[in-house]
Amino acid sequence: MKSPTSTSSKPSEIKSATVIGSGIIGLTSAIALQETGFRVKLYAKEKFGHTLSHKVGAVWFPYTIEPKKKTDRWAAVSYARYQEESAYAEGVSMIPFLNSYKDLSEEEWVKHLPPGTVREASFSELPTGMEKGLIADVPLAEPPRYLPYLFRKFLENGGEFELKKFKTLNDLASPDEWVINCTGLGARELCGDQYLHPMRGQILRAEKMNIPSFADPIRKGALTYIINRSQDSIIGGTDYEDDWNEEEDPNDTQLILGRLKNFGIQSSPQVIETLVGLRPKRKAVRFEFDEEFPRIFHNYGHGGAGFTVAWGCALELGEILHRKISGE
């Protein structure tokens, strides 16, 4: 017999959940729960257009995220979901993307891609200064188009949204409601999580460039990439850990533009705006029930790969809660 404090629910009870956070992790979690049969309410201190998720390039790539065994699996599931959505969802497409690497044996993500979607780049395809690279057909989710699409889908599925900020986990805890914490870097204060810290990213949004999309993530502190979207290009970037500065740094802008020239790109980008965001970096993604509040599930700390693993985490979350309620 289950004790009166058991968190398992009877199969007949109404399945309802609350999701905190309206970035890519929160929106995908909310929709995945709806697809599992949950009635979902979404709370956030700000709407998706003001979140970190709205500022990023959002190309699929497992960048600065741990633990690899789990995150590669989540990335593979997300890849499949985006690939499916590319046929109908606003802002989602499949693009060729060149990534530099040092040791192919360390590129575990390659093993999780569908056959025929990744190959070694030829010498002529490599930018100046790049020694080795892989070209993969990967999903691109353009935040200004994709996030509104997800939000509309959430509402059309019967979801409710309210602007609200929570200060402590105790404010979230409910004896009869499942709560999903998708607050990103905000979880540092909300949960007192000292393992969570910022990784500052500064990027440039420019007029669309006639240059293949590529990334060189192997040099710490010198992250360089171009992501060509439907109407513009995103040029990056920075990856400064424990940097809380959310203001534009003109020196970083010059560094970013200078690195492009180091790769043999001589044309000057027509910069539209500079964007700065703080990625929620953690030694490992926190994807688990809270020990003190067993109806709270944490889903945060995805570093620079939130879009890359979002659907993998969200769909697994739906399965976990479904099993909890079913008593499996």
Side-chain angles (χ1 to χ4, degrees):
M1 178 180 293
K2 292 186 174 68
S3 69
T5 57
S6 171
T7 60
S8 294
S9 305
K10 296 178 181 179
S12 60
E13 81 173 84
I14 296 174
K15 297 197 296 184
S16 61
T18 296
V19 174
I20 314 298
S22 66
I24 186 63
I25 301 299
L27 288 173
T28 51
S29 294
I31 292 172
L33 289 173
Q34 288 177 324
E35 292 176 352
T36 315
F38 282 82
R39 183 178 62 202
V40 182
K41 184 158 187 177
L42 182 66
Y43 288 101
K45 67 176 182 180
E46 53 196 358
K47 204 171 177 182
F48 59 84
H50 298 282
T51 65
L52 169 71
S53 297
H54 197 264
K55 299 178 180 180
V56 301
V59 70
W60 185 96
F61 187 68
Y63 174 64
T64 65
I65 186 169
E66 298 286 346
K68 285 298 181 185
K69 187 173 182 180
K70 289 183 178 180
T71 58
D72 283 347
R73 182 181 75 245
W74 292 330
V77 172
S78 296
Y79 185 106
R81 177 74 178 225
Y82 288 127
Q83 190 173 44
E84 174 189 328
E85 287 187 325
S86 67
Y88 57 83
E90 293 179 31
V92 181
S93 60
M94 303 296 292
I95 67 167
F97 196 56
L98 168 64
N99 281 278
S100 64
Y101 71 92
K102 286 184 178 180
D103 184 348
L104 189 58
S105 65
E106 297 178 357
E107 305 299 314
E108 290 292 323
W109 59 273
V110 173
K111 301 175 183 178
H112 298 277
L113 294 185
T117 58
V118 60
R119 64 177 176 82
E120 187 79 25
S122 66
F123 179 78
S124 63
E125 293 173 307
L126 296 173
T128 300
M130 187 181 292
E131 296 181 1
K132 295 182 289 186
L134 297 169
I135 297 178
D137 294 325
V138 301
L140 170 66
E142 302 182 36
R145 300 175 60 203
Y146 187 54
L147 294 179
Y149 164 82
L150 290 180
F151 188 70
R152 288 196 304 272
K153 183 174 182 178
F154 166 72
L155 295 179
E156 289 168 359
N157 288 345
E160 299 177 51
F161 175 75
E162 182 178 332
L163 288 173
K164 186 175 182 179
K165 182 177 180 179
F166 297 87
K167 294 183 178 180
T168 68
L169 286 182
N170 196 56
D171 295 336
L172 297 180
S174 170
D176 55 2
E177 186 91 357
W178 300 102
V179 179
I180 317 303
N181 174 23
C182 305
T183 55
L185 191 59
R188 180 182 170 94
E189 177 182 353
L190 183 67
C191 305
D193 189 341
Q194 298 305 305
Y195 294 114
L196 189 64
H197 61 275
M199 181 169 65
R200 180 180 179 274
Q202 179 166 313
I203 61 175
L204 311 176
R205 187 171 74 88
E207 298 287 347
K208 192 167 183 178
M209 301 180 69
N210 188 28
I211 296 169
S213 298
F214 78 91
D216 179 16
I218 61 179
R219 286 174 285 187
K220 187 63 179 174
L223 175 64
T224 302
Y225 57 87
I226 294 177
I227 301 170
N228 291 310
R229 307 193 300 193
S230 59
Q231 304 297 323
D232 55 22
S233 293
I234 297 297
I235 306 168
T238 65
D239 53 359
Y240 306 149
E241 296 200 29
D242 296 309
D243 187 341
W244 289 90
N245 178 25
E246 294 188 77
E247 300 300 319
E248 173 188 352
D249 186 332
N251 292 328
D252 284 336
T253 297
Q254 293 308 310
L255 284 173
I256 292 168
L257 295 174
R259 291 189 202 121
L260 286 187
K261 295 189 182 300
N262 293 338
F263 279 99
I265 300 170
Q266 299 303 319
S267 58
S268 298
Q270 300 301 306
V271 178
I272 300 170
E273 64 177 332
T274 301
L275 301 170
V276 179
L278 304 180
R279 306 178 184 96
K281 182 73 183 295
R282 198 173 186 273
K283 64 175 185 178
V285 174
R286 191 174 185 193
F287 190 77
E288 63 184 4
F289 285 102
D290 191 271
E291 291 184 0
E292 183 178 356
F293 303 101
R295 277 187 174 265
I296 295 178
F297 191 95
H298 299 290
N299 185 14
Y300 67 80
H302 302 82
F307 275 82
T308 300
V309 301
W311 277 114
C313 291
L315 294 171
E316 186 171 322
L317 166 67
E319 294 171 359
I320 290 171
L321 286 197
H322 176 73
R323 289 197 299 267
K324 272 280 187 181
I325 283 184
S326 301
E328 296 177 10

